[in-house]
Amino acid sequence: MEEGPRNERLRLRFVTRAEAPILRSRYAHEPGGFNDFGQAATEAPAAAEHAIQASRGQLPSGELRDEHSGVLWVEVLGGGGPIGTVEYHRVMYGPNAESAGWMIGIDLRPEGRGQGYGAEAQRLLADWLFQTTSANRVEAQTDIDNLAEARALETAGFTREGVLRGAQFRAGAYHDLVVYSRLRDESEKIERS
Ligand SMILES: CC(C)(COP(=O)(O)OP(=O)(O)OC[C@H]1O[C@@H](n2cnc3c(N)ncnc32)[C@H](O)[C@@H]1OP(=O)(O)O)[C@@H](O)C(=O)NCCC(=O)NCCS
């Protein structure tokens, strides 16, 4: 099993199929939060649940990942267990392989928030996706009112592109989403600077 990406404070580690029940119980979505889509309390955050379902039966590595998606623990180095998850899945902007990008998502538990880990984890994930795949684009979307995630993405090197009006139905209403992205050459510039 290959080592996940890490920095001085954090490491990302693929969730294993055996850990899916932990993901569902301890890391269940937060009622009323930005990742609450009305799913059952026993389900993982929506994106992670999707990865669990999508990867069912096709996991030679035993990890929750395939060529389309993956979900990783965010762990603080030095112990204490995971503080949340990050997730990625493929998005297509044309029929050819070159037009494939990655959409990422994050869900930190309350005790993992407010310490800058959100930006670091998303930077680590985007860097890793550029290093291990040929994608030109990594993107993220967040509720227009999720100012902590917007700021975390900017700190992670993402650029705000625009607003998807009324795109997401959650908590009984449609919500505007803000789109952010990082491109491969921007990632290289960041690494050189
Ligand atoms: C959103 C999330 C990833 C942010 O990560 P985080 O590490 O907790 O972020 P922080 O609290 O350190 O805040 C990041 C920045 O936003 C700022 N910020 C936080 N809340 C803010 C608010 N309500 N208004 C304005 N700025 C805010 C912080 O001051 C910080 O700014 P700085 O980098 O200039 O110091 C994390 O809180 C989380 O997982 N939340 C729950 C799930 C979620 O919302 N996921 C994203 C769904 S798209």
Side-chain angles (χ1 to χ4, degrees):
M1 218 176 276
E2 111 204 28
E3 278 280 296
R6 63 170 65 204
N7 66 14
E8 302 74 34
R9 296 209 297 168
L10 293 180
R11 74 166 181 166
L12 306 183
R13 177 177 68 79
F14 275 98
V15 179
T16 65
R17 180 97 195 108
E19 291 173 319
I22 304 172
L23 192 65
R24 285 182 163 140
S25 59
R26 286 191 57 211
Y27 295 83
H29 72 92
E30 184 181 347
F34 287 111
N35 283 327
D36 179 8
F37 293 90
Q39 64 270 49
T42 50
E43 291 179 11
E49 189 66 29
H50 176 77
I52 293 170
Q53 298 296 337
S55 61
R56 193 178 292 281
Q58 28 173 318
L59 289 167
S61 67
E63 297 172 332
L64 287 190
R65 65 160 145 177
D66 60 17
E67 68 274 28
H68 304 291
S69 65
V71 54
L72 302 94
W73 297 119
V74 179
E75 295 181 326
V76 178
L77 294 179
I83 57 165
T85 57
V86 286
E87 162 281 333
Y88 62 89
H89 61 270
R90 192 187 295 274
V91 284
M92 297 300 298
Y93 289 101
N96 50 337
E98 292 83 355
S99 301
W102 299 109
M103 171 90 75
I104 68 168
I106 185 164
D107 206 329
L108 297 183
R109 285 166 61 89
E111 64 269 24
R113 298 177 198 162
Q115 300 157 77
Y117 291 140
E120 290 184 31
Q122 290 176 103
R123 180 185 288 280
L124 276 172
L125 180 59
D127 287 348
W128 180 81
L129 287 167
F130 284 126
Q131 282 159 14
T132 58
T133 75
S134 59
N136 188 51
R137 176 183 166 90
V138 175
E139 67 182 54
Q141 299 176 358
T142 192
D143 190 292
I144 200 162
D145 291 328
N146 195 343
L147 301 179
E149 171 63 344
R151 182 77 192 124
L153 285 167
E154 285 162 5
T155 303
F158 285 71
T159 297
R160 182 179 172 121
E161 295 183 321
V163 174
L164 294 174
R165 296 180 304 144
Q168 188 172 89
F169 189 80
R170 184 170 41 74
Y174 284 99
H175 296 261
D176 293 351
L177 298 178
V178 187
V179 184
Y180 283 85
S181 72
R182 255 180 71 180
L183 302 183
R184 176 173 291 279
D185 67 337
E186 294 167 344
S187 145
E188 286 161 2
K189 275 179 218 149
I190 289 166
E191 276 159 23
R192 277 200 300 271
S193 63

